[in-house]
């Protein structure tokens, strides 16, 4: 994008997992989160400044909450101080994966947000329910989103990523130079 339109900000709007309202049993399932994170990574690699997700409720099968207002698998935001770094990771395999980052210990405490289907194995990929750090992710009532709380991990050499999961690891104390 930077080569085609140098100096201009590039946005991707009205984006989701599939054209024309999504694909039932896919866009409304846990597996759609893998596609969404892949899209975000590709957008970052291509130099896009903003990616806009569509739609909150009731359009096809890629909406963010269901008819009961329970969040579907790709919902959630949280703010951090300038200089924080978020790493997202996908594990499409059944076995746990280990992530090693150079200098990870010096980045301080890590806040982990690990999303998994509420059912184990490959069958769980088609689930419409998701857990955040092993807790079901559901609306508190018809107006209140659940708390999206990460698990604090002490500084370590490796991060563990369970099978069939996607995760966000927040390094709040990273003080990334690009963010200053």
């Amino acid at each position: 994008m930077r080569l085609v339109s140098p100096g201009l900000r590039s946005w991707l709007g009205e984006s989701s997992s599939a054209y024309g309202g999504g694909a039932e049993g896919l866009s409304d399932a846990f597996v759609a989160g893998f596609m969404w994170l892949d899209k975000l990574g590709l957008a970052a690699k291509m130099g896009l400044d903003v990616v806009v997700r569509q739609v909150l409720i009731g359009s096809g099968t890629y909406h963010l909450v269901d008819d009961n207002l329970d969040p579907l698998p790709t919902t959630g935001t949280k703010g951090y101080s300038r200089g924080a770094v978020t790493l997202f990771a996908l594990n499409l395999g059944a076995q746990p994966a280990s992530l090693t980052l150079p200098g990870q210990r010096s980045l301080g405490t890590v806040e982990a947000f690990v999303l998994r289907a509420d059912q184990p194995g490959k069958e769980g990929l088609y689930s419409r329910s998701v857990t955040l750090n092993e807790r079901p992710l559901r609306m508190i009532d018809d107006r209140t989103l659940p708390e999206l709380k990460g698990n604090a991990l002490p500084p370590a050499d490796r991060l563990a990523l369970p099978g069939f999961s996607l995760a966000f690891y927040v390094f709040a104390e990273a003080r990334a130079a690009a963010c200053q």
Side-chain angles (χ1 to χ4, degrees), residues 87 99-110 153-160 169 171:
L87 167 71
L99 306 172
T100 304
L101 305 175
Q104 181 177 327
R105 279 187 185 270
S106 65
L107 296 175
T109 302
V110 179
L153 304 177
D157 292 327
R158 297 174 186 263
L159 295 172
Y169 298 101
F171 300 87

Side-chain angles (χ1 to χ4, degrees), residues 41-117:
L42 183 59
K45 185 175 181 177
M46 292 178 64
L48 292 170
D49 296 294
V50 176
V51 178
V52 180
R53 170 69 189 258
Q54 176 180 320
V55 60
L56 180 62
I57 189 168
S59 177
T61 57
Y62 55 59
H63 45 276
L64 296 175
V65 296
D66 67 16
D67 292 337
N68 296 320
L69 300 180
D70 285 324
L72 291 170
T74 56
T75 305
T77 61
K78 183 175 179 176
Y80 290 93
S81 64
R82 178 169 264 180
V85 171
T86 301
L87 167 71
F88 70 78
L90 312 170
N91 185 353
L92 296 170
Q95 298 304 313
S98 179
L99 306 172
T100 304
L101 305 175
Q104 181 177 327
R105 279 187 185 270
S106 65
L107 296 175
T109 302
V110 179
E111 191 173 8
F113 296 83
V114 179
L115 297 163
R116 300 175 81 181

